[in-house]
Amino acid sequence: MQEQFKFHMPTEILFENGLTQKMGRYIKGSSVLIISDPFLYKNGTAQRIGDTLAGKTVTYFSDIEPNPSCESVDAATAVARESKADCVIGLGGGSSLDVSKIVSCLVTNPGSIYDYYSGGTRVLESRTTQLVCIPTTAGTGSEVTNVGVFTNRKTHIKMPMVNNQFWPDIAMIDPQLTYTLPSAVTASTGMDAFCHAIEAYWNKNALPMCDMLSMGALKLIIDNIKTAYDTPSNCEARSAMIVASLVAGISFSQTRTTGIHALSFPLTTEFGASHGTACSITLPAFIRVSSQYEAQKMNSLVHYLGYESVEQFADAVEALMRSMNMPVRLHELGVQEKDIPHIAEVGLSAAIIQLTPADMNQKTVEALLRSIL
């Protein structure tokens, strides 16, 4: 047990079925920009939320792609500045929420995202625009973190950006928004939340509070993800999954993630995998190596979750993924033996990989990748 630790969570969290239909009472200012992906705009979800904001000017931006690019951020920023937005609402999965974080800052900070991110020389000053994040998937946890992940098209590298201005003022959790998620998205985002929880648990920056949050989140996911996948209309399973995602998000917001996420970056940008798939495909392998430095802690976790050993737990996670038609071998993403050294090299360039409770170097990471090729 650590003798000293710090836990900081400045975001107000609101949870209620139907919450987004009465959110006007929580929105400050008069000019609101709602950032969503194209699907949520076309199906009317973004407009239905905007319609609840009586008396306010509402503008929409929906040109958000998966693994959002810096160009998308700059395009959304231009709309925010033109409308003089004093509130930015991020609606959707991690891509929309991440873009909303930096756009809320760039409303009053000059220049492009490139001036602040990935080699930029400017520093974001304090944010005055209200930031509200509303997740529509049970997975990313972005609504309760100070992290945004963006793809630099100039370098073709996807990397996280951490800034205390990115903490949302309010996270609005409305389980009803997840009830119509397709099964494939339920699986991918749910396993992303699983990765968040377990990476916070075994993390070299782990905290006692985060351990308890992660254990609870993992139990909720194990007990509910398959039900949500098989029976999308099961409201109890859906609510449990979005709570698990939220709790896992709070946990890893304090610790950051580890090797799973570091290796996911090239798997998304270069092999087209969704974020949740790119993370979870290495999850069983990382579970197997996690006992190198955290054997006692991992044994405690697997016994709490009802398994006899770490190896049995890893096998069960892989079987769960297979049961949801998720890839469990890298060749299913198109990865070949010749790609392994490059993927390892890119993953090792992310500092978070060294928060893994195992030796992470070119040789060990290549071996891990080959074990699931």
Side-chain angles (χ1 to χ4, degrees), residues 118-183:
S118 191
T121 57
R122 286 181 169 174
V123 177
L124 289 173
E125 302 296 336
S126 59
R127 171 173 58 81
T128 57
T129 301
Q130 185 185 27
L131 173 60
V132 179
C133 285
I134 306 172
T136 60
T137 65
T140 72
S142 182
E143 70 275 8
V144 284
T145 76
N146 65 334
V147 182
V149 182
F150 311 103
T151 300
N152 184 334
R153 284 186 183 170
K154 298 177 181 179
T155 60
H156 304 288
I157 293 176
K158 173 184 173 182
M159 293 292 284
M161 182 178 180
V162 182
N163 194 292
N164 280 334
Q165 304 302 325
F166 288 178
W167 290 109
D169 296 302
I170 302 174
M172 289 193 169
I173 316 300
D174 184 347
Q176 288 182 0
L177 295 178
T178 69
Y179 289 174
T180 57
L181 277 181
S183 292

Short mmCIF file of all heavy atoms in Angstrom, two decimals, residues 118-183:
data_model
loop_
_atom_site.label_atom_id
_atom_site.label_comp_id
_atom_site.label_asym_id
_atom_site.label_seq_id
_atom_site.Cartn_x
_atom_site.Cartn_y
_atom_site.Cartn_z
N SER A 118 1.90 17.39 -30.34
CA SER A 118 2.86 16.62 -31.14
C SER A 118 3.97 17.50 -31.70
O SER A 118 4.18 17.59 -32.90
CB SER A 118 2.14 15.91 -32.28
OG SER A 118 2.98 14.97 -32.92
N GLY A 119 4.68 18.17 -30.80
CA GLY A 119 5.80 19.02 -31.22
C GLY A 119 5.48 20.49 -31.27
O GLY A 119 6.37 21.31 -31.53
N GLY A 120 4.22 20.85 -31.03
CA GLY A 120 3.85 22.27 -31.01
C GLY A 120 4.52 23.02 -29.87
O GLY A 120 4.90 22.43 -28.86
N THR A 121 4.68 24.31 -30.03
CA THR A 121 5.44 25.11 -29.06
C THR A 121 4.56 25.96 -28.16
O THR A 121 5.05 26.56 -27.20
CB THR A 121 6.43 26.03 -29.79
OG1 THR A 121 5.71 26.87 -30.72
CG2 THR A 121 7.46 25.20 -30.55
N ARG A 122 3.28 26.04 -28.47
CA ARG A 122 2.38 26.85 -27.64
C ARG A 122 1.81 26.02 -26.48
O ARG A 122 1.73 24.80 -26.56
CB ARG A 122 1.24 27.42 -28.47
CG ARG A 122 1.65 28.57 -29.39
CD ARG A 122 0.46 29.10 -30.15
NE ARG A 122 0.79 30.34 -30.84
CZ ARG A 122 -0.02 30.97 -31.68
NH1 ARG A 122 -1.21 30.45 -31.95
NH2 ARG A 122 0.35 32.09 -32.25
N VAL A 123 1.37 26.73 -25.44
CA VAL A 123 0.77 26.09 -24.26
C VAL A 123 -0.67 26.58 -24.13
O VAL A 123 -0.93 27.79 -24.21
CB VAL A 123 1.56 26.43 -22.98
CG1 VAL A 123 0.86 25.82 -21.76
CG2 VAL A 123 2.99 25.94 -23.09
N LEU A 124 -1.62 25.65 -23.95
CA LEU A 124 -3.02 26.03 -23.78
C LEU A 124 -3.21 26.80 -22.49
O LEU A 124 -2.84 26.34 -21.41
CB LEU A 124 -3.91 24.79 -23.77
CG LEU A 124 -4.09 24.05 -25.10
CD1 LEU A 124 -4.85 22.74 -24.87
CD2 LEU A 124 -4.82 24.91 -26.12
N GLU A 125 -3.78 28.00 -22.61
CA GLU A 125 -4.11 28.78 -21.43
C GLU A 125 -5.44 28.29 -20.86
O GLU A 125 -6.09 27.40 -21.42
CB GLU A 125 -4.18 30.27 -21.79
CG GLU A 125 -2.90 30.83 -22.38
CD GLU A 125 -1.72 30.79 -21.41
OE1 GLU A 125 -1.97 30.77 -20.18
OE2 GLU A 125 -0.57 30.77 -21.87
N SER A 126 -5.87 28.87 -19.78
CA SER A 126 -7.07 28.39 -19.09
C SER A 126 -8.29 28.44 -20.01
O SER A 126 -8.44 29.34 -20.83
CB SER A 126 -7.33 29.22 -17.83
OG SER A 126 -7.51 30.58 -18.17
N ARG A 127 -9.15 27.46 -19.85
CA ARG A 127 -10.37 27.35 -20.65
C ARG A 127 -11.51 28.09 -19.98
O ARG A 127 -11.78 27.88 -18.80
CB ARG A 127 -10.72 25.86 -20.83
CG ARG A 127 -12.09 25.63 -21.46
CD ARG A 127 -12.33 24.16 -21.78
NE ARG A 127 -12.22 23.29 -20.63
CZ ARG A 127 -13.18 23.10 -19.73
NH1 ARG A 127 -14.32 23.75 -19.81
NH2 ARG A 127 -12.98 22.26 -18.72
N THR A 128 -12.23 28.93 -20.73
CA THR A 128 -13.39 29.64 -20.20
C THR A 128 -14.70 29.10 -20.77
O THR A 128 -15.77 29.40 -20.26
CB THR A 128 -13.29 31.14 -20.51
OG1 THR A 128 -13.17 31.32 -21.94
CG2 THR A 128 -12.07 31.76 -19.83
N THR A 129 -14.61 28.31 -21.84
CA THR A 129 -15.79 27.72 -22.47
C THR A 129 -16.22 26.48 -21.68
O THR A 129 -15.40 25.62 -21.37
CB THR A 129 -15.47 27.33 -23.92
OG1 THR A 129 -15.05 28.49 -24.63
CG2 THR A 129 -16.67 26.71 -24.60
N GLN A 130 -17.51 26.39 -21.36
CA GLN A 130 -18.00 25.22 -20.65
C GLN A 130 -17.86 23.98 -21.53
O GLN A 130 -18.11 24.02 -22.74
CB GLN A 130 -19.47 25.41 -20.26
CG GLN A 130 -20.02 24.27 -19.40
CD GLN A 130 -21.52 24.40 -19.13
OE1 GLN A 130 -22.25 24.99 -19.92
NE2 GLN A 130 -21.98 23.84 -18.02
N LEU A 131 -17.47 22.86 -20.92
CA LEU A 131 -17.29 21.60 -21.63
C LEU A 131 -18.17 20.53 -21.00
O LEU A 131 -18.02 20.21 -19.82
CB LEU A 131 -15.82 21.17 -21.59
CG LEU A 131 -15.48 19.79 -22.16
CD1 LEU A 131 -15.86 19.69 -23.63
CD2 LEU A 131 -14.00 19.48 -21.96
N VAL A 132 -19.08 19.99 -21.79
CA VAL A 132 -19.99 18.93 -21.34
C VAL A 132 -19.78 17.72 -22.25
O VAL A 132 -19.82 17.85 -23.48
CB VAL A 132 -21.46 19.39 -21.40
CG1 VAL A 132 -22.39 18.26 -20.95
CG2 VAL A 132 -21.67 20.63 -20.53
N CYS A 133 -19.56 16.55 -21.68
CA CYS A 133 -19.34 15.34 -22.46
C CYS A 133 -20.44 14.32 -22.18
O CYS A 133 -20.74 14.03 -21.02
CB CYS A 133 -17.97 14.74 -22.15
SG CYS A 133 -16.60 15.67 -22.91
N ILE A 134 -21.03 13.81 -23.27
CA ILE A 134 -22.13 12.86 -23.19
C ILE A 134 -21.76 11.61 -23.98
O ILE A 134 -21.80 11.62 -25.21
CB ILE A 134 -23.43 13.46 -23.76
CG1 ILE A 134 -23.75 14.81 -23.09
CG2 ILE A 134 -24.59 12.50 -23.59
CD1 ILE A 134 -24.91 15.56 -23.75
N PRO A 135 -21.40 10.52 -23.33
CA PRO A 135 -21.03 9.31 -24.06
C PRO A 135 -22.27 8.57 -24.58
O PRO A 135 -23.30 8.51 -23.90
CB PRO A 135 -20.31 8.47 -23.01
CG PRO A 135 -20.93 8.89 -21.71
CD PRO A 135 -21.24 10.36 -21.86
N THR A 136 -22.15 8.03 -25.77
CA THR A 136 -23.23 7.21 -26.33
C THR A 136 -22.77 5.76 -26.50
O THR A 136 -23.52 4.94 -27.02
CB THR A 136 -23.69 7.75 -27.69
OG1 THR A 136 -22.58 7.74 -28.60
CG2 THR A 136 -24.24 9.16 -27.55
N THR A 137 -21.54 5.47 -26.09
CA THR A 137 -21.04 4.10 -26.07
C THR A 137 -20.57 3.78 -24.66
O THR A 137 -20.22 4.69 -23.90
CB THR A 137 -19.87 3.90 -27.05
OG1 THR A 137 -18.76 4.69 -26.61
CG2 THR A 137 -20.25 4.30 -28.46
N ALA A 138 -20.56 2.51 -24.32
CA ALA A 138 -20.08 2.08 -23.00
C ALA A 138 -18.67 1.54 -23.19
O ALA A 138 -18.47 0.34 -23.35
CB ALA A 138 -21.01 1.03 -22.41
N GLY A 139 -17.70 2.46 -23.22
CA GLY A 139 -16.37 1.99 -23.50
C GLY A 139 -15.23 2.95 -23.26
O GLY A 139 -14.28 2.64 -22.57
N THR A 140 -15.30 4.16 -23.81
CA THR A 140 -14.08 4.98 -23.84
C THR A 140 -13.74 5.61 -22.49
O THR A 140 -12.57 5.80 -22.18
CB THR A 140 -14.20 6.10 -24.87
OG1 THR A 140 -15.12 7.10 -24.40
CG2 THR A 140 -14.67 5.57 -26.20
N GLY A 141 -14.75 5.99 -21.71
CA GLY A 141 -14.48 6.67 -20.45
C GLY A 141 -13.94 8.07 -20.63
O GLY A 141 -13.53 8.72 -19.66
N SER A 142 -13.93 8.57 -21.86
CA SER A 142 -13.32 9.88 -22.13
C SER A 142 -14.02 11.00 -21.39
O SER A 142 -13.43 12.06 -21.16
CB SER A 142 -13.35 10.14 -23.64
OG SER A 142 -12.73 11.37 -23.96
N GLU A 143 -15.28 10.78 -21.01
CA GLU A 143 -16.04 11.83 -20.34
C GLU A 143 -15.50 12.16 -18.95
O GLU A 143 -15.89 13.16 -18.35
CB GLU A 143 -17.51 11.44 -20.24
CG GLU A 143 -17.83 10.29 -19.29
CD GLU A 143 -17.65 8.91 -19.91
OE1 GLU A 143 -17.13 8.82 -21.05
OE2 GLU A 143 -18.05 7.92 -19.25
N VAL A 144 -14.59 11.32 -18.43
CA VAL A 144 -14.04 11.58 -17.09
C VAL A 144 -12.52 11.52 -17.10
O VAL A 144 -11.90 11.16 -16.10
CB VAL A 144 -14.61 10.59 -16.05
CG1 VAL A 144 -16.04 10.97 -15.67
CG2 VAL A 144 -14.53 9.15 -16.55
N THR A 145 -11.90 11.88 -18.23
CA THR A 145 -10.44 11.94 -18.27
C THR A 145 -9.98 13.29 -18.82
O THR A 145 -10.76 14.04 -19.42
CB THR A 145 -9.84 10.83 -19.17
OG1 THR A 145 -10.02 11.18 -20.56
CG2 THR A 145 -10.47 9.48 -18.89
N ASN A 146 -8.71 13.56 -18.64
CA ASN A 146 -8.10 14.77 -19.20
C ASN A 146 -7.19 14.42 -20.38
O ASN A 146 -6.16 15.06 -20.60
CB ASN A 146 -7.32 15.54 -18.13
CG ASN A 146 -6.11 14.78 -17.61
OD1 ASN A 146 -6.08 13.56 -17.65
ND2 ASN A 146 -5.13 15.50 -17.10
N VAL A 147 -7.58 13.42 -21.13
CA VAL A 147 -6.79 12.91 -22.26
C VAL A 147 -7.60 13.03 -23.54
O VAL A 147 -8.79 12.75 -23.57
CB VAL A 147 -6.39 11.44 -22.04
CG1 VAL A 147 -5.54 10.94 -23.20
CG2 VAL A 147 -5.65 11.27 -20.73
N GLY A 148 -6.93 13.44 -24.61
CA GLY A 148 -7.50 13.39 -25.95
C GLY A 148 -6.51 12.66 -26.85
O GLY A 148 -5.31 12.86 -26.71
N VAL A 149 -7.00 11.84 -27.74
CA VAL A 149 -6.12 11.10 -28.65
C VAL A 149 -6.42 11.54 -30.08
O VAL A 149 -7.56 11.45 -30.53
CB VAL A 149 -6.31 9.58 -28.50
CG1 VAL A 149 -5.34 8.84 -29.42
CG2 VAL A 149 -6.09 9.15 -27.06
N PHE A 150 -5.39 12.00 -30.77
CA PHE A 150 -5.56 12.55 -32.11
C PHE A 150 -4.53 11.96 -33.06
O PHE A 150 -3.46 11.54 -32.65
CB PHE A 150 -5.43 14.08 -32.07
CG PHE A 150 -6.25 14.72 -30.99
CD1 PHE A 150 -5.65 15.16 -29.82
CD2 PHE A 150 -7.62 14.85 -31.12
CE1 PHE A 150 -6.40 15.73 -28.80
CE2 PHE A 150 -8.38 15.41 -30.11
CZ PHE A 150 -7.78 15.86 -28.94
N THR A 151 -4.89 11.95 -34.35
CA THR A 151 -3.98 11.44 -35.37
C THR A 151 -3.37 12.59 -36.15
O THR A 151 -4.10 13.43 -36.71
CB THR A 151 -4.73 10.50 -36.35
OG1 THR A 151 -5.26 9.39 -35.61
CG2 THR A 151 -3.79 9.97 -37.41
N ASN A 152 -2.06 12.64 -36.14
CA ASN A 152 -1.32 13.66 -36.88
C ASN A 152 -1.14 13.16 -38.31
O ASN A 152 -0.36 12.25 -38.57
CB ASN A 152 0.04 13.89 -36.19
CG ASN A 152 0.83 15.00 -36.83
OD1 ASN A 152 0.66 15.31 -38.01
ND2 ASN A 152 1.71 15.62 -36.06
N ARG A 153 -1.87 13.75 -39.25
CA ARG A 153 -1.80 13.29 -40.64
C ARG A 153 -0.44 13.58 -41.27
O ARG A 153 -0.06 12.94 -42.25
CB ARG A 153 -2.90 13.96 -41.47
CG ARG A 153 -4.29 13.38 -41.24
CD ARG A 153 -5.28 14.00 -42.19
NE ARG A 153 -6.63 13.52 -41.96
CZ ARG A 153 -7.71 14.05 -42.53
NH1 ARG A 153 -7.57 15.08 -43.35
NH2 ARG A 153 -8.91 13.58 -42.26
N LYS A 154 0.28 14.54 -40.70
CA LYS A 154 1.59 14.88 -41.26
C LYS A 154 2.61 13.78 -40.98
O LYS A 154 3.51 13.54 -41.79
CB LYS A 154 2.07 16.21 -40.69
CG LYS A 154 1.17 17.40 -41.03
CD LYS A 154 1.67 18.68 -40.37
CE LYS A 154 0.75 19.86 -40.69
NZ LYS A 154 1.21 21.12 -40.03
N THR A 155 2.47 13.15 -39.83
CA THR A 155 3.42 12.09 -39.46
C THR A 155 2.79 10.71 -39.49
O THR A 155 3.49 9.70 -39.33
CB THR A 155 3.96 12.34 -38.04
OG1 THR A 155 2.86 12.33 -37.11
CG2 THR A 155 4.67 13.68 -37.95
N HIS A 156 1.44 10.66 -39.65
CA HIS A 156 0.68 9.40 -39.64
C HIS A 156 0.83 8.68 -38.30
O HIS A 156 0.81 7.45 -38.23
CB HIS A 156 1.13 8.48 -40.78
CG HIS A 156 1.03 9.12 -42.14
ND1 HIS A 156 -0.18 9.38 -42.75
CD2 HIS A 156 2.00 9.59 -42.97
CE1 HIS A 156 0.04 9.96 -43.92
NE2 HIS A 156 1.35 10.11 -44.08
N ILE A 157 0.95 9.46 -37.24
CA ILE A 157 1.11 8.90 -35.90
C ILE A 157 -0.08 9.33 -35.03
O ILE A 157 -0.47 10.49 -35.02
CB ILE A 157 2.42 9.36 -35.24
CG1 ILE A 157 3.62 8.75 -35.99
CG2 ILE A 157 2.48 8.97 -33.77
CD1 ILE A 157 4.97 9.22 -35.49
N LYS A 158 -0.65 8.36 -34.32
CA LYS A 158 -1.74 8.61 -33.38
C LYS A 158 -1.16 8.60 -31.98
O LYS A 158 -0.56 7.61 -31.56
CB LYS A 158 -2.81 7.53 -33.53
CG LYS A 158 -3.93 7.58 -32.49
CD LYS A 158 -4.87 6.39 -32.69
CE LYS A 158 -5.90 6.31 -31.57
NZ LYS A 158 -6.78 5.15 -31.70
N MET A 159 -1.32 9.71 -31.26
CA MET A 159 -0.74 9.82 -29.93
C MET A 159 -1.70 10.56 -28.99
O MET A 159 -2.49 11.39 -29.43
CB MET A 159 0.59 10.57 -29.98
CG MET A 159 1.70 9.84 -30.72
SD MET A 159 2.27 8.36 -29.86
CE MET A 159 3.26 9.09 -28.56
N PRO A 160 -1.61 10.27 -27.70
CA PRO A 160 -2.46 10.98 -26.74
C PRO A 160 -1.92 12.36 -26.39
O PRO A 160 -0.71 12.61 -26.48
CB PRO A 160 -2.44 10.06 -25.51
CG PRO A 160 -1.12 9.37 -25.60
CD PRO A 160 -0.83 9.20 -27.06
N MET A 161 -2.81 13.24 -26.03
CA MET A 161 -2.47 14.57 -25.52
C MET A 161 -3.11 14.70 -24.15
O MET A 161 -4.32 14.50 -24.00
CB MET A 161 -2.99 15.64 -26.46
CG MET A 161 -2.65 17.06 -26.05
SD MET A 161 -3.26 18.24 -27.30
CE MET A 161 -2.74 19.79 -26.58
N VAL A 162 -2.33 15.00 -23.15
CA VAL A 162 -2.82 15.11 -21.77
C VAL A 162 -2.74 16.57 -21.35
O VAL A 162 -1.68 17.20 -21.46
CB VAL A 162 -2.00 14.23 -20.81
CG1 VAL A 162 -2.56 14.31 -19.40
CG2 VAL A 162 -1.97 12.79 -21.29
N ASN A 163 -3.87 17.10 -20.86
CA ASN A 163 -3.89 18.50 -20.44
C ASN A 163 -4.98 18.69 -19.40
O ASN A 163 -6.10 18.20 -19.58
CB ASN A 163 -4.13 19.40 -21.66
CG ASN A 163 -3.84 20.86 -21.36
OD1 ASN A 163 -4.54 21.51 -20.59
ND2 ASN A 163 -2.78 21.38 -21.97
N ASN A 164 -4.69 19.40 -18.35
CA ASN A 164 -5.69 19.59 -17.30
C ASN A 164 -6.87 20.46 -17.75
O ASN A 164 -7.90 20.48 -17.08
CB ASN A 164 -5.04 20.19 -16.05
CG ASN A 164 -4.32 19.14 -15.22
OD1 ASN A 164 -4.67 17.96 -15.27
ND2 ASN A 164 -3.32 19.55 -14.46
N GLN A 165 -6.73 21.16 -18.88
CA GLN A 165 -7.87 21.90 -19.42
C GLN A 165 -8.90 20.96 -20.06
O GLN A 165 -10.01 21.38 -20.37
CB GLN A 165 -7.39 22.91 -20.47
CG GLN A 165 -6.33 23.89 -20.00
CD GLN A 165 -6.77 24.72 -18.81
OE1 GLN A 165 -7.95 25.08 -18.69
NE2 GLN A 165 -5.85 25.01 -17.92
N PHE A 166 -8.53 19.69 -20.25
CA PHE A 166 -9.42 18.73 -20.91
C PHE A 166 -10.42 18.08 -19.96
O PHE A 166 -11.29 17.33 -20.42
CB PHE A 166 -8.60 17.62 -21.59
CG PHE A 166 -7.84 18.05 -22.82
CD1 PHE A 166 -7.05 17.14 -23.50
CD2 PHE A 166 -7.94 19.35 -23.31
CE1 PHE A 166 -6.35 17.52 -24.64
CE2 PHE A 166 -7.25 19.74 -24.44
CZ PHE A 166 -6.44 18.82 -25.12
N TRP A 167 -10.28 18.28 -18.65
CA TRP A 167 -11.28 17.71 -17.76
C TRP A 167 -12.65 18.32 -18.08
O TRP A 167 -12.81 19.54 -18.00
CB TRP A 167 -10.96 18.02 -16.29
CG TRP A 167 -9.77 17.33 -15.71
CD1 TRP A 167 -8.58 17.90 -15.39
CD2 TRP A 167 -9.66 15.95 -15.32
NE1 TRP A 167 -7.73 16.97 -14.84
CE2 TRP A 167 -8.36 15.77 -14.79
CE3 TRP A 167 -10.54 14.86 -15.38
CZ2 TRP A 167 -7.92 14.53 -14.31
CZ3 TRP A 167 -10.09 13.64 -14.92
CH2 TRP A 167 -8.80 13.48 -14.39
N PRO A 168 -13.65 17.53 -18.45
CA PRO A 168 -14.98 18.12 -18.68
C PRO A 168 -15.54 18.74 -17.41
O PRO A 168 -15.25 18.29 -16.30
CB PRO A 168 -15.82 16.91 -19.11
CG PRO A 168 -14.83 15.93 -19.65
CD PRO A 168 -13.60 16.10 -18.79
N ASP A 169 -16.33 19.78 -17.59
CA ASP A 169 -17.02 20.36 -16.42
C ASP A 169 -18.11 19.41 -15.94
O ASP A 169 -18.30 19.23 -14.73
CB ASP A 169 -17.62 21.72 -16.79
CG ASP A 169 -16.57 22.74 -17.15
OD1 ASP A 169 -15.70 23.01 -16.31
OD2 ASP A 169 -16.58 23.23 -18.29
N ILE A 170 -18.80 18.80 -16.90
CA ILE A 170 -19.89 17.88 -16.56
C ILE A 170 -19.80 16.65 -17.47
O ILE A 170 -19.61 16.78 -18.68
CB ILE A 170 -21.27 18.52 -16.74
CG1 ILE A 170 -21.41 19.79 -15.88
CG2 ILE A 170 -22.38 17.53 -16.40
CD1 ILE A 170 -22.72 20.54 -16.12
N ALA A 171 -19.93 15.47 -16.89
CA ALA A 171 -20.12 14.23 -17.65
C ALA A 171 -21.57 13.81 -17.46
O ALA A 171 -22.00 13.56 -16.32
CB ALA A 171 -19.18 13.15 -17.15
N MET A 172 -22.33 13.78 -18.53
CA MET A 172 -23.73 13.39 -18.47
C MET A 172 -23.89 11.95 -18.96
O MET A 172 -23.62 11.67 -20.13
CB MET A 172 -24.59 14.33 -19.32
CG MET A 172 -24.72 15.71 -18.74
SD MET A 172 -26.02 16.64 -19.59
CE MET A 172 -26.15 18.06 -18.50
N ILE A 173 -24.30 11.08 -18.08
CA ILE A 173 -24.43 9.66 -18.41
C ILE A 173 -25.91 9.30 -18.52
O ILE A 173 -26.63 9.26 -17.52
CB ILE A 173 -23.76 8.77 -17.34
CG1 ILE A 173 -22.40 9.33 -16.94
CG2 ILE A 173 -23.66 7.34 -17.85
CD1 ILE A 173 -21.39 9.45 -18.04
N ASP A 174 -26.36 9.09 -19.74
CA ASP A 174 -27.75 8.71 -20.02
C ASP A 174 -27.73 7.32 -20.65
O ASP A 174 -27.48 7.18 -21.85
CB ASP A 174 -28.38 9.73 -20.97
CG ASP A 174 -29.86 9.46 -21.21
OD1 ASP A 174 -30.34 8.37 -20.86
OD2 ASP A 174 -30.54 10.36 -21.77
N PRO A 175 -27.99 6.26 -19.86
CA PRO A 175 -27.92 4.90 -20.40
C PRO A 175 -28.78 4.68 -21.63
O PRO A 175 -28.46 3.85 -22.48
CB PRO A 175 -28.38 4.03 -19.23
CG PRO A 175 -28.08 4.84 -18.01
CD PRO A 175 -28.32 6.27 -18.42
N GLN A 176 -29.88 5.42 -21.74
CA GLN A 176 -30.78 5.22 -22.88
C GLN A 176 -30.07 5.44 -24.22
O GLN A 176 -30.46 4.85 -25.23
CB GLN A 176 -31.98 6.17 -22.77
CG GLN A 176 -32.97 5.78 -21.68
CD GLN A 176 -34.16 6.71 -21.62
OE1 GLN A 176 -34.27 7.66 -22.39
NE2 GLN A 176 -35.08 6.44 -20.70
N LEU A 177 -29.05 6.26 -24.23
CA LEU A 177 -28.34 6.54 -25.48
C LEU A 177 -27.57 5.33 -25.99
O LEU A 177 -27.13 5.32 -27.14
CB LEU A 177 -27.39 7.72 -25.28
CG LEU A 177 -28.03 9.07 -24.97
CD1 LEU A 177 -26.96 10.13 -24.76
CD2 LEU A 177 -28.99 9.50 -26.09
N THR A 178 -27.37 4.33 -25.12
CA THR A 178 -26.61 3.14 -25.54
C THR A 178 -27.50 1.97 -25.94
O THR A 178 -27.00 0.94 -26.39
CB THR A 178 -25.68 2.66 -24.41
OG1 THR A 178 -26.47 2.13 -23.32
CG2 THR A 178 -24.82 3.80 -23.88
N TYR A 179 -28.80 2.12 -25.78
CA TYR A 179 -29.70 0.98 -25.98
C TYR A 179 -29.72 0.47 -27.41
O TYR A 179 -30.05 -0.69 -27.66
CB TYR A 179 -31.13 1.33 -25.56
CG TYR A 179 -31.34 1.48 -24.07
CD1 TYR A 179 -32.56 1.92 -23.56
CD2 TYR A 179 -30.32 1.21 -23.16
CE1 TYR A 179 -32.76 2.06 -22.19
CE2 TYR A 179 -30.52 1.36 -21.80
CZ TYR A 179 -31.73 1.79 -21.31
OH TYR A 179 -31.93 1.94 -19.96
N THR A 180 -29.38 1.31 -28.38
CA THR A 180 -29.45 0.90 -29.79
C THR A 180 -28.07 0.63 -30.39
O THR A 180 -27.94 0.48 -31.61
CB THR A 180 -30.16 1.98 -30.63
OG1 THR A 180 -29.46 3.23 -30.47
CG2 THR A 180 -31.60 2.16 -30.17
N LEU A 181 -27.05 0.51 -29.55
CA LEU A 181 -25.72 0.22 -30.06
C LEU A 181 -25.70 -1.12 -30.79
O LEU A 181 -26.20 -2.12 -30.27
CB LEU A 181 -24.70 0.16 -28.92
CG LEU A 181 -24.09 1.46 -28.40
CD1 LEU A 181 -23.09 1.15 -27.29
CD2 LEU A 181 -23.39 2.23 -29.51
N PRO A 182 -25.11 -1.20 -31.98
CA PRO A 182 -24.95 -2.49 -32.64
C PRO A 182 -24.09 -3.43 -31.80
O PRO A 182 -23.22 -2.99 -31.04
CB PRO A 182 -24.25 -2.13 -33.96
CG PRO A 182 -24.50 -0.67 -34.15
CD PRO A 182 -24.59 -0.09 -32.77
N SER A 183 -24.30 -4.72 -31.96
CA SER A 183 -23.58 -5.70 -31.15
C SER A 183 -22.07 -5.57 -31.30
O SER A 183 -21.32 -5.68 -30.32
CB SER A 183 -24.03 -7.11 -31.52
OG SER A 183 -25.37 -7.32 -31.13
#
